[in-house]
Amino acid sequence: MRRLVLLGGGHAHVHVLKAMGDALDPTVSVTLVTPVARQVYSGMLPGWVAGHYALDECGIDLLALAARARARVVQSSASLVSPSMREVICANGEVLGYDVLSIDVGSQAAVGDAKGVAENAIAVRPLERFVQGWEGVLARARDGGLNAVSIVGGGAAGLELAFAMDHRFRAEAGDAAPHVRVLTDARSVVPEYPAAARGRLLREARRRNVGTHPGCTVTEAGPGHLRLRDAIEFSTDATFWVTGAAAPSLLRDSGFATDPRGFLEVNDFMQSVSHPEVFGAGDCATNTANPRPKAGVFAVRAGPALAANLLAALKGGPLATFIPSARFLALVSCGGRRAVGIYGAASFEGGWVWRWKDRIDRGFIARYSAAALASGSRPS
């Protein structure tokens, strides 16, 4: 019996579990290590914040996927991996041996040298914790207890959440809705997008009166304030930390080869460059020869190739390369049922773009619904 351990319930591992369930193999034992029973799909999170979706519509049932794949579930996170012993040490004290290990644990919000973030801000990751934090802030807004909400991080994720929050606040609190602002240490918001797309999103921010504050390095998140490097302070009733991706310390602490930022370094097979029996996908991994942005689309694309390579590694077969195209479609929702689309240098916007995004997102969730799993192919 060959032992496969899946560390994390990210987008790529969701597909691996489905593939394992589609073609059960009695010679392989599968264990999923995840602290949560449901994966909240990040692509639909702003839509949930805005009030367009119920939370159940945005989630994938990891326990159901695991049961169908006859995988054991350990509801815990990993504290450390011992590559020399081929063991995963879980936070609950359990130790799991493996022949092949796959890591898809995502990333965490980069904090840098800023003080007080853990105590006074709500980080966007892990998503389950963000969900709880947002529900508490929304309840305060309904009671009229908020004047200003700040989002630290001016990438697409931060601006999209700002639009979603502004939309929801206005729907719930009307004229008493708090002001939403975005602060970033970059020279502009959404610097990852070309000028035309950036212009569309900035016009939307002005239309909504969402404040955008580039060139603002936050050095301290306090109770009721944000302090900047130049000693300027913003008063805030709630702070959300939506900065760029930082690597989980688990990867470097476990002795894996990592890139300079601490992400698991993998090759074109999604295989650790230092430990060939270990694979990685999603935000936690970097192919330094063919790097890609830390965007969920690449984890989704990786799923089928990762499933095939894990099975090949377990069976001793040849691995297949996975080098996704660097170009991808980005669809940024604007709070209401409008969105901006970006593909390369081209950009476009409107209600039809939101409906397109809605179909894509719902389609992804539908692949792993109870109905889809029930109708999936299984061996006789």
Side-chain angles (χ1 to χ4, degrees):
M1 181 75 72
R2 299 281 285 170
R3 301 164 299 171
L4 170 64
V5 173
L6 303 176
L7 184 52
H11 298 344
H13 277 178
V14 163
H15 186 90
V16 171
L17 283 169
K18 185 177 184 301
M20 293 291 180
D22 287 344
L24 294 172
D25 187 336
T27 68
V28 174
S29 72
V30 182
T31 301
L32 171 67
V33 181
T34 173
V36 297
R38 170 186 60 191
Q39 183 211 97
V40 178
Y41 176 43
S42 58
M44 296 179 77
L45 189 71
W48 171 73
V49 169
H52 303 312
Y53 306 118
L55 191 58
D56 286 347
E57 295 179 276
C58 308
I60 296 172
D61 188 340
L62 295 173
L63 301 186
L65 278 170
R68 183 172 175 272
R70 297 180 187 172
R72 181 179 172 228
V73 178
V74 177
Q75 281 199 244
S76 178
S77 55
S79 296
L80 199 69
V81 177
S82 174
S84 61
M85 299 294 292
R86 295 198 180 188
E87 291 178 340
V88 175
I89 298 93
C90 299
N92 66 359
E94 192 163 353
V95 178
L96 305 171
Y98 64 84
D99 296 297
V100 174
L101 172 66
S102 183
I103 306 175
D104 184 16
V105 295
S107 60
Q108 56 196 39
V111 173
D113 298 327
K115 300 177 182 178
V117 175
E119 298 83 4
N120 300 305
I122 300 165
V124 72
R125 295 184 183 279
L127 293 182
E128 291 284 350
R129 193 175 301 165
F130 169 83
V131 165
Q132 295 174 0
W134 164 246
E135 288 176 334
V137 169
L138 182 60
R140 291 167 59 196
R142 287 171 177 150
D143 293 337
L146 299 179
N147 292 314
V149 171
S150 302
I151 294 176
V152 180
L159 194 59
E160 190 174 30
L161 280 174
F163 291 156
M165 289 179 185
D166 178 73
H167 178 83
R168 188 68 175 276
F169 287 147
R170 293 178 185 277
E172 299 276 350
D175 292 340
H179 174 62
V180 179
R181 68 170 70 95
V182 175
L183 300 96
T184 176
D185 59 1
R187 296 177 63 180
S188 66
V189 297
V190 288
E192 66 269 39
Y193 291 151
R198 191 161 56 248
R200 291 180 187 273
L201 292 168
L202 285 172
R203 285 193 294 273
E204 180 65 25
R206 288 192 293 270
R207 187 183 72 81
R208 287 192 162 276
N209 196 33
V210 168
T212 56
H213 303 271
C216 291
T217 300
V218 176
T219 59
E220 180 184 338
H225 72 271
L226 289 173
R227 182 170 293 120
L228 307 186
R229 179 173 290 164
D230 56 10
I232 292 175
E233 288 191 3
F234 281 91
S235 175
T236 186
D237 297 297
T239 298
F240 292 88
W241 206 265
V242 196
T243 52
S249 58
L250 164 78
L251 304 172
R252 187 170 281 163
D253 292 347
S254 297
F256 296 120
T258 60
D259 73 0
R261 297 169 61 196
F263 294 101
L264 181 71
E265 188 176 0
V266 298
N267 58 22
D268 290 343
F269 306 118
M270 291 178 284
Q271 184 180 40
S272 165
V273 299
S274 59
H275 296 83
E277 72 281 359
V278 176
F279 292 74
D283 280 4
C284 70
T286 297
N287 181 340
T288 51
N290 295 285
R292 297 293 182 263
K294 301 295 182 186
V297 63
F298 293 108
V300 171
R301 291 181 185 178
L306 179 63
N309 277 354
L310 291 177
L311 185 60
L314 289 162
K315 299 291 187 179
L319 304 178
T321 59
F322 172 72
I323 307 174
S325 170
R327 300 185 73 183
F328 65 98
L329 174 68
L331 300 172
V332 181
S333 56
C334 296
R337 295 176 186 266
R338 292 182 63 258
V340 172
I342 304 102
Y343 187 75
S347 63
F348 34 88
E349 62 184 299
W352 67 273
V353 183
W354 189 89
R355 292 189 292 274
W356 187 14
K357 173 177 169 55
D358 178 62
R359 285 195 299 273
I360 292 172
D361 290 342
R362 288 184 184 273
F364 176 76
I365 292 291
R367 295 180 212 170
Y368 308 102
S369 67
L373 297 182
S375 63
S377 61
R378 293 295 290 269
S380 58

